[in-house]
Amino acid sequence: RQEVRRVEQDRDLGNRMADAIRELFPGCPPAEALAIAAHTTARGSGRVGRTAAGKALDEKAIAAAAIAAIRHTHTGYDELLMGGLDRIDARDAVREAVDRVLDRWRKPP
């Protein structure tokens, strides 16, 4: 019973997080908002969606989750890391690309 309850709670948190992402970033594709929410709220992940701020749907936590997702899925960030660049330099290198996606997502479709 407890496992079923946890699954339901996780599903509810993921749905609420996806809604909050779409509210903050109305131009974010719905499927991508769901994917970000599922990733960031995964139980035991230690990601921002599992923090108190994430569970409270704090705007900064939601933005952090979206930025991280953009960094990994819309830029060459992972390749830069695999190429030996440290995180700070890799983040600096992709900042403009992240900002462009954020600007698109802030606008309603």
Side-chain angles (χ1 to χ4, degrees), residues 14 17-19 21-22 25 28-39 105:
M17 176 70 74
D19 290 344
I21 290 167
R22 295 275 298 149
F25 300 105
C28 177
E32 195 155 6
L34 285 169
I36 293 168
H39 184 74
W105 284 9

Side-chain angles (χ1 to χ4, degrees), residues 6-94:
R6 279 193 293 270
V7 168
E8 289 172 358
Q9 288 173 337
D10 289 349
R11 185 176 31 245
D12 180 59
L13 175 61
N15 288 334
R16 290 185 302 114
M17 176 70 74
D19 290 344
I21 290 167
R22 295 275 298 149
E23 186 174 314
L24 188 59
F25 300 105
C28 177
E32 195 155 6
L34 285 169
I36 293 168
H39 184 74
T40 196
T41 61
R43 189 176 289 272
S45 68
R47 294 185 185 99
V48 71
R50 295 309 295 188
T51 65
K55 290 177 182 179
L57 304 178
D58 176 80
E59 189 172 301
K60 288 181 183 180
I62 293 165
I67 289 167
I70 291 167
R71 191 182 298 128
H72 289 283
T73 60
H74 292 272
T75 74
Y77 177 73
D78 293 325
E79 290 80 12
L80 293 172
L81 292 178
M82 288 187 286
L85 214 55
D86 67 41
R87 284 182 182 212
I88 293 171
D89 291 337
R91 287 178 182 194
D92 286 343
V94 300

